[in-house]
């Protein structure tokens, strides 16, 4: 069921030393060994990507779109196989893995359409002169995708790059390599020319340290933590290489007094536990108006406690383990610190069982602003619910972190919504829903949550450069 892990370079699968274990986080059993790219593998991938770029950037947008759509159709056909691999390596419930596969296919389908709409512009000029603005693919992209969505995260980057006419070297997450590998297989079967999409695995710092300073690399596309994103941005800056950075978030949820408290609380708790909270847009800091705070927190905690936690392969499981062992101490430390500083632990707060990286659905209440969790993204199934006296206070709290990726609110008051739209510092604001993005909407952050957008009509801009052409009818 789990694929044979190999590198894919220049259109060929390649086996290398495989010494990094890939572990099922629900059982801690080894399911595979990850092949590690050597420096010469990376150099081969660079050569292949340069050749691939020559071919692909000169392929018509319609032909590019056709190939991408064929790959997306294969991904849809292979939904079950891909979902099974994702659940095995990541732990998420199978139903969520199936949805992730479809979301990945949708990213490809949307960007395939956008490939044909990378319009330029004609600028009025003096007689005998023409000014035309062209959008052209930037070149070879070094892409780094994280482990929280093993399939849809790499899909997003590959979709944008290939639709724009770029070639890609993707370093997929070492914990969850199969999602990306399935995508590559689909593109191979869809007839993508050799070298356009290359897949490598290995030690992240070694791969980024080698690839990013290379001349042919014209864009670094990364999703992950702000700390790593800053490091990669610094590396890229030394070579004047562009970056697309989707970094951390610490999403606020403003719960206004006019909302349907129970429905909002249940929706919040379910959404918080999705993917075991390992989502950059995960709602985490809940600011509920003091008049409804007790009711909201009680309903939230009751639903959080009722979450069915277990191996994602079992029917009815709503939340799997966290994806790797290091989340457990990271989450426990944040909870302990919040409690030590005077916060109330309403439910959860500790590892669940002795096998698998399970963490209890956790709700904290009345946590002081000084607690680490008020500033640090937990990236796990932990929610903080605090009371606020007014919308002013809620907005101030929402903006009181260096991050600005997603933000949410529950309200139907037009005057509140007007202020939220103007004043909450995020790239994605959702009202009365805790969904943050769709393939057709631009996704990305402000402040320390990153630069650039994926999806929407904006998504391909990162992968393209602007060239102005001045054509004079006569030599002047
Ligand atoms: P981490 O910062 O060590 O790694 C995050 C990701 O970056 C991983 O996929 C890793 O493979 C990659 N990475 C790390 N060092 C790298 C390097 N030098 N070059 C290239 N890639 C590198 O953290 P972690 O323990 O894996 O995850 C925890 C934190 O990461 C979370 O708190 C969260 O903020 C962030 N994260 C964010 C997302 C997201 O969707 N934005 C996804 C995964 C992790």
């Amino acid at each position: 069921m789990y694929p044979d892990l190999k590198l894919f370079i220049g259109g060929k699968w390649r086996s290398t030393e495989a010494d990094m274990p890939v572990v099922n986080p629900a059982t801690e059993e080894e399911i595979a060994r990850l092949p590690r790219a050597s420096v010469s593998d990376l150099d081969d991938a660079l050569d292949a990507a340069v050749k691939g770029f020559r071919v692909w950037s000169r392929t018509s947008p319609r032909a590019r779109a056709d190939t991408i759509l064929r790959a997306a159709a294969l991904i849809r056909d292979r939904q079950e196989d891909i979902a099974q691999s994702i659940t095995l390596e990541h732990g998420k419930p199978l139903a969520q893995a199936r949805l992730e596969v479809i979301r990945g296919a949708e990213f490809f389908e949307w960007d395939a359409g956008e490939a044909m709409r990378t319009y330029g512009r004609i600028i009025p000029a003096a007689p005998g002169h023409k000014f035309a603005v062209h959008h052209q693919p930037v070149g070879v992209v070094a892409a780094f995708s994280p482990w929280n969505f093993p399939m849809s995260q790499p899909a997003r980057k590959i979709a944008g790059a290939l639709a724009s006419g770029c070639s890609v070297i993707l370093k997929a997450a070492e914990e969850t390599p199969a999602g990306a590998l399935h995508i590559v297989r689909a593109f191979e079967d869809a007839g993508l020319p050799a070298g356009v999409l290359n897949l490598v695995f290995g030690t992240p710092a070694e791969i980024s340290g080698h690839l990013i300073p290379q001349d042919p690399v014209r864009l670094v596309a990364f999703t992950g933590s702000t700390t790593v994103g800053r490091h990669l941005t610094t590396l890229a800056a030394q070579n004047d290489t562009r970056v697309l950075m989707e970094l951390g978030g610490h999403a606020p949820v403003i719960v206004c007094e006019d909302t349907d408290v129970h429905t909002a609380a249940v929706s919040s708790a379910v959404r918080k536990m999705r993917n075991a909270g390992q989502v950059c847009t995960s709602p985490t800091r809940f600011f509920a108006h003091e008049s409804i705070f007790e009711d909201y927190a009680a309903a939230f905690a009751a639903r959080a406690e009722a979450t069915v936690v277990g191996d994602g392969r079992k029917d009815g499981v709503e939340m799997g383990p966290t994806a790797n062992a290091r989340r457990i101490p990271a989450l426990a430390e944040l909870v302990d610190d919040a409690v030590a500083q005077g916060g109330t632990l309403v439910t959860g707060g500790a590892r669940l069982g002795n096998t698998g990286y399970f963490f209890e659905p956790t709700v904290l209440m009345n946590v002081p602003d000084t607690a680490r969790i008020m500033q640090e993204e937990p990236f796990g199934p932990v929610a903080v619910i605090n009371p606020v006296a007014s919308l002013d206070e809620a907005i101030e709290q929402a903006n009181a972190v260096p991050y600005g990726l997603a933000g949410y609110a529950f309200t139907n008051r037009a005057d509140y919504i007007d202020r939220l739209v103007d004043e909450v510092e995020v790239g994605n604001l959702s009202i009365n829903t805790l969904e943050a993005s769709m393939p057709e909407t631009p996704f990305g952050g402000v402040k320390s949550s990153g630069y650039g957008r994926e999806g929407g009509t904006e998504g391909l801009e990162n992968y393209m450069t602007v060239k102005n052409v001045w054509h004079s009818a006569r030599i002047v």
Side-chain angles (χ1 to χ4, degrees):
M1 188 203 304
Y2 197 75
D4 191 12
L5 299 178
K6 289 185 178 159
L7 313 180
F8 189 71
I9 294 173
K12 297 216 160 49
W13 294 99
R14 190 180 283 200
S15 299
T16 61
E17 184 194 2
D19 61 348
M20 300 167 82
V22 180
V23 169
N24 175 348
T27 62
E28 298 183 38
E29 285 161 4
E30 183 176 314
I31 49 178
R33 289 263 162 152
L34 188 77
R36 185 193 286 273
S38 65
V39 166
S40 80
D41 292 322
L42 297 178
D43 287 341
D44 290 348
L46 273 166
D47 284 348
V50 168
K51 289 183 187 126
F53 180 69
R54 270 187 222 125
V55 174
W56 195 239
S57 59
R58 306 279 303 150
T59 300
S60 76
R62 182 171 289 280
R64 293 203 298 258
D66 286 347
T67 305
I68 297 169
L69 289 174
R70 276 199 300 278
L74 290 171
I75 287 166
R76 283 181 182 273
D77 288 349
R78 298 170 186 177
Q79 180 191 18
E80 193 56 30
D81 269 4
I82 305 175
Q84 295 277 354
S85 306
I86 292 175
T87 291
L88 211 54
E89 66 185 8
H90 180 278
K92 69 181 67 184
L94 206 42
Q96 290 177 26
R98 291 187 184 115
L99 289 176
E100 183 184 335
V101 176
I102 296 306
R103 178 50 59 90
E106 288 170 352
F107 287 145
F108 286 118
E109 290 156 358
W110 172 263
D111 279 349
E114 286 302 288
M116 293 182 284
R117 290 188 280 270
T118 56
Y119 308 124
R121 197 154 49 101
I122 301 292
I123 298 170
H129 296 267
K130 295 281 181 274
F131 296 144
V133 177
H134 295 249
H135 292 162
Q136 299 181 329
V138 66
V140 174
V141 176
F144 300 86
S145 59
W147 43 261
N148 55 342
F149 291 95
M151 197 272 168
S152 63
Q153 291 275 25
R156 230 177 185 165
K157 303 214 168 338
I158 296 169
L162 297 192
S164 308
C166 297
S167 60
V168 185
I169 305 170
L170 173 74
K171 200 271 313 158
E174 43 290 357
E175 293 97 333
T176 58
L181 189 130
H182 277 291
I183 295 175
V184 171
R185 276 188 182 170
F187 272 98
E188 182 189 23
D189 295 342
L192 187 74
V196 178
L197 175 59
N198 304 277
L199 177 66
V200 297
F201 303 113
T203 306
E206 286 173 14
I207 296 182
S208 57
H210 186 72
L211 287 183
I212 293 174
Q214 307 287 337
D215 247 3
V217 171
R218 294 292 152 79
L219 174 74
V220 177
F222 172 76
T223 297
S225 63
T226 296
T227 313
V228 175
R230 269 193 203 130
H231 169 64
L232 301 189
T233 301
T234 308
L235 268 182
Q238 285 160 14
N239 216 23
D240 305 314
T241 303
R242 283 162 56 169
V243 297
L244 164 62
M245 291 283 149
E246 299 290 0
L247 307 177
H250 201 340
V253 182
I254 296 175
V255 188
C256 300
E257 64 278 18
D258 66 296
T259 196
D260 170 349
V261 176
H262 190 264
T263 307
V266 169
S267 161
S268 303
V270 169
R271 196 70 187 178
K272 173 70 244 183
M273 303 312 157
R274 185 178 77 106
N275 219 39
Q278 303 162 114
V279 188
C280 45
T281 57
S282 186
T284 294
R285 297 174 300 130
F286 295 82
F287 301 110
H289 189 267
E290 58 194 12
S291 62
I292 50 129
F293 168 71
E294 296 288 345
D295 288 347
Y296 176 80
F300 188 122
R303 182 61 186 89
E305 247 167 18
T307 307
V308 182
V309 184
D311 188 322
R313 291 171 294 178
K314 292 205 181 108
D315 281 348
V317 164
E318 294 175 299
M319 187 179 101
T322 60
N324 51 53
R326 55 186 184 276
R327 296 303 328 132
I328 302 286
L331 293 168
E333 276 173 30
L334 286 176
V335 173
D336 293 350
D337 171 74
V339 172
Q341 300 220 30
T344 306
L345 180 61
V346 187
T347 185
R351 183 178 182 183
L352 244 181
N354 298 320
T355 307
Y357 312 133
F358 294 97
F359 200 83
E360 293 174 315
T362 299
V363 179
L364 291 155
M365 218 167 75
N366 292 313
V367 177
D369 293 345
T370 50
R372 278 176 54 200
I373 198 163
M374 297 309 288
Q375 290 292 314
E376 290 178 38
E377 180 186 24
F379 222 67
V382 181
V384 174
I385 310 176
N386 280 356
V388 284
S390 63
L391 186 66
D392 284 337
E393 187 186 348
I395 292 174
E396 195 182 315
Q397 287 284 356
N399 292 340
V401 289
Y403 302 108
L405 190 56
Y408 309 94
F410 289 106
T411 182
N412 288 314
R413 279 187 54 166
D415 56 338
Y416 282 7
I417 294 169
D418 184 58
R419 287 199 53 202
L420 292 164
V421 169
D422 286 350
E423 296 177 41
V424 179
E425 296 166 355
V426 291
N428 294 77
L429 176 70
S430 303
I431 316 266
N432 296 329
T433 170
L434 298 173
E435 280 277 354
S437 80
M438 294 289 285
E440 57 267 42
T441 58
F443 175 71
V446 298
K447 294 157 72 175
S448 293
S449 290
Y451 335 93
R453 293 292 179 268
E454 296 185 302
T457 54
E458 292 82 355
L460 301 198
E461 286 170 10
N462 310 284
Y463 295 95
M464 308 203 85
T465 54
V466 171
K467 182 181 283 173
N468 184 64
V469 175
W470 178 341
H471 179 201
S472 170
R474 283 179 306 282
I475 297 175
V476 289

